Amino acid sequence: MTTFLSAVTADHFDTEVLQQHWIPLAADDADTAAVLRERLGIDFTVTRRQVWESDNFLYFPVVACYQRGETIEHATIVFALGGEFLVTLQPSEHFVPFDKAVAKMRRNPELAGSAHGVMYALLWALNEASERVLHHAGDALEAMHEEIEQALERHDRGTDIADLREAMSRLDATARIVASTRGTQLQLARTARHLMADAGSGHGKLNDSIGLLLADIDGVKEHAGVESDKARYLQRAMTTWLGVRQNEVVRACTVVTAAFLPPTLIAGCYAVDLTGISEISWQLGLLVTAVLALMAAVIPLAYLRKKGLLR
């Protein structure tokens, strides 16, 4: 079946109780998927993004965001909720966020006594994972904010545009993480509402817990909105600053080229004029033209490099 529950030792939780209501299914476990399809009628072969329903199960897909080390990863979890069983289609490798759910059920064993209680614990764990992702993104945005402010302070002394473009790339990646987390929160809220409705009045205490979970999910979603606003502000600031620097490059090139183009043209005319006088004069005119043309190319580049507009 799956090694997830077997990895939870008896010292941590009574897995026999948990296995009565929760079946975690690894994405690459085709044999177990076939058995579940035959015995329970569970079918994960249809790929859908919305909630769907079969004869005995409700299916809820959630794209989870979670932190693994210093990287942010995404995984699609599909919950199949029935009256007695909850089956989760999840990554083949150990899915770290669900460890928090097992710990929560260890603290509150009543949750493991029903499929709805288990699903509540799993959704709670995914919401906690989203919050950790947002804290990680928030720290990254604060660091980039300081980096951008320091770059703006160095404006007069010249700033390496390549470094700022690299920072812009990191900023865009962080903004995408925040946007993905907002999407996760919408899916979690939708799934939690369906869970509460399916649990019905017979799970009064559990419904109270789901209500609190919905409030927490909304709180994390608002947190994601705040971080998204920060990311947009920084993106606008960097885009504006890079636009100003680009205008400076164009203006500097125009000024320097305008200053050196006339002498180059005059020297070229002089060289052409001397070609009919003597071979030495022709060579001299060509040499003068080449030198002035080289100066017209090198001096603007040196000026722009001094201003920090080129590397």
Side-chain angles (χ1 to χ4, degrees):
M1 186 167 290
T2 181
T3 59
F4 180 80
L5 290 180
S6 60
V8 183
T9 65
D11 292 337
H12 289 82
F13 195 71
D14 186 353
T15 56
E16 292 184 3
V17 175
L18 187 57
Q19 286 175 338
Q20 292 176 8
H21 299 286
W22 181 27
I23 304 174
L25 174 65
D28 62 354
D29 192 349
D31 293 337
T32 302
V35 171
L36 293 175
R37 187 164 51 250
E38 179 181 352
R39 295 184 180 180
L40 300 178
I42 296 177
D43 189 5
F44 290 110
T45 59
V46 180
T47 303
R48 303 186 187 182
R49 296 182 179 180
Q50 301 297 324
V51 176
W52 76 95
E53 184 175 358
S54 65
D55 293 339
N56 299 313
F57 287 88
L58 287 169
Y59 296 84
F60 307 95
V62 175
V63 179
C65 295
Y66 62 101
Q67 184 176 355
R68 186 191 295 271
E70 291 301 317
T71 62
I72 304 300
E73 300 189 9
H74 302 83
T76 299
I77 310 296
V78 182
F79 296 88
L81 177 64
E84 296 184 10
F85 296 102
L86 171 68
V87 182
T88 55
L89 181 67
Q90 58 194 63
S92 302
E93 64 273 8
H94 183 75
F95 190 60
V96 176
F98 282 170
D99 289 346
K100 293 280 187 179
V102 173
K104 187 174 184 64
M105 287 185 281
R106 184 178 68 245
R107 294 190 301 270
N108 188 358
E110 292 181 2
L111 294 176
S114 69
H116 295 80
V118 174
M119 185 167 175
Y120 158 77
L122 299 181
L123 293 178
W124 175 87
L126 293 182
N127 187 59
E128 290 288 305
S130 292
E131 189 169 18
R132 288 193 294 275
V133 168
L134 289 178
H135 284 302
H136 177 81
D139 292 341
L141 289 175
E142 287 297 329
M144 282 184 275
H145 189 194
E146 294 179 1
E147 183 177 341
I148 293 170
E149 285 187 340
Q150 292 174 0
L152 295 177
E153 291 175 357
R154 296 195 305 267
H155 176 75
D156 293 335
R157 291 172 287 169
T159 302
D160 196 330
I161 292 182
D163 290 341
L164 285 178
R165 292 191 185 279
E166 192 273 335
M168 187 69 169
S169 177
R170 288 187 283 115
L171 177 58
D172 291 342
T174 304
R176 287 193 296 270
I177 290 172
V178 173
S180 297
T181 307
R182 297 183 76 175
T184 295
Q185 295 313 106
L186 292 175
Q187 294 175 339
L188 286 176
R190 176 194 63 190
T191 303
R193 287 192 296 268
H194 279 281
L195 175 62
M196 179 182 288
D198 193 71
S201 58
H203 295 78
K205 185 177 179 180
L206 178 60
N207 277 344
D208 291 341
S209 297
I210 298 174
L212 292 175
L213 174 60
L214 277 167
D216 289 340
I217 290 172
D218 287 340
V220 175
K221 184 175 66 174
E222 291 178 2
H223 183 189
V226 171
E227 299 301 339
S228 179
D229 290 342
K230 291 180 182 178
R232 282 198 298 268
Y233 168 78
L234 292 176
Q235 286 173 324
R236 286 195 298 268
M238 292 191 69
T239 300
T240 301
W241 191 90
L242 289 172
V244 171
R245 297 295 274 176
Q246 184 175 8
N247 290 337
E248 289 181 355
V249 172
V250 174
R251 186 165 55 251
C253 287
T254 301
V255 170
V256 177
T257 301
F260 281 89
L261 183 59
T264 303
L265 293 177
I266 293 173
C269 294
Y270 173 74
V272 172
D273 204 31
L274 289 180
T275 54
I277 299 177
S278 67
E279 182 178 354
I280 297 178
S281 298
W282 178 86
Q283 292 174 346
L284 178 60
L286 182 60
L287 177 61
V288 171
T289 302
V291 170
L292 289 177
L294 182 62
M295 292 175 61
V298 172
I299 292 179
L301 292 177
Y303 172 79
L304 296 177
R305 185 181 296 274
K306 181 179 179 180
K307 287 293 186 180
L309 302 177
L310 291 176
R311 294 195 66 177

